[in-house]
Amino acid sequence: MATEHKNDDGLRRQNRSNRTIAVACLSFFVCMIGVAYASVPLYRIFCEYTGYAGTTQRTEQYSDTILDRTINVRFDANTANGLPWDFSPMQREVTIRIGETTLVKYQAKNAFDQPSYGRASFNVSPGRAGAYFNKVECFCFTDTTLQAGESMEMPVVFFVDPEIVNDPDLKDVKTITLSYTFFPIEKPQPVAGAGAQGNGS
């Protein structure tokens, strides 16, 4: 009998230990998922603030200084699998003065026979140049809908910060490449109340 009680006690302790380990593992797994989801927007904010990983800067002001030195800016366009769009820059390259505000356009066309939906992300190379590439207007991170066969022009207004010439790692850079990639997204949800307004008209 004593042996049986010892065995039962041992089994109970083992079961409690297993449950504790299982709960700890589950808690760790849930925490890691939370960190993963939180890290995406935090990483994006960090990149936009610092220019890390080729992320450009957003600004509402034009440069008040334009240098005599010029730089080439190339434009690249990509479309992820699952989005039937023809997407390309309307100009492949421009030569501008550093600090000069410039307008270029991309164009997207839905080659599918139904509406489709996309959102663009971007980066700049060399990556360090992202800290000096300032966009005043752009279509990135905006949900875009194209009807069947529809085409759309998408403007980008930007300038290269004159401070780039004071960066020892970029002093010899002659060309910067701005690259956009469109990804498919789910159909955007209608704005609340839009249907009611339409019925009342």
Side-chain angles (χ1 to χ4, degrees), residues 88-177:
S88 61
M90 299 181 72
Q91 294 174 270
R92 286 292 177 182
E93 184 174 340
V94 295
T95 299
I96 60 173
R97 290 193 294 170
I98 294 176
E100 177 184 5
T101 301
T102 304
L103 166 67
V104 298
K105 294 181 180 179
Y106 281 73
Q107 185 175 48
K109 180 178 180 180
N110 181 8
F112 197 45
D113 59 359
Q114 295 180 11
S116 52
Y117 316 94
R119 183 186 303 132
S121 65
F122 62 89
N123 74 321
V124 166
S125 61
R128 189 175 177 84
Y132 303 98
F133 198 100
N134 290 270
K135 291 189 299 183
V136 181
E137 179 182 350
C138 121
F139 54 87
C140 50
F141 302 121
T142 301
D143 294 353
T144 303
T145 300
L146 291 180
Q147 302 298 323
E150 181 183 6
S151 296
M152 180 182 293
E153 292 184 0
M154 302 174 177
V156 181
V157 179
F158 69 93
F159 64 89
V160 177
D161 191 330
E163 286 298 317
I164 195 172
V165 301
N166 298 321
D167 190 323
D169 294 327
L170 297 172
K171 63 181 181 180
D172 296 323
V173 169
K174 305 297 183 184
T175 300
I176 296 174
T177 301

Side-chain angles (χ1 to χ4, degrees), residues 187-200:
K187 180 178 179 179
Q189 296 298 316
V191 177
Q197 293 176 358
N199 292 334

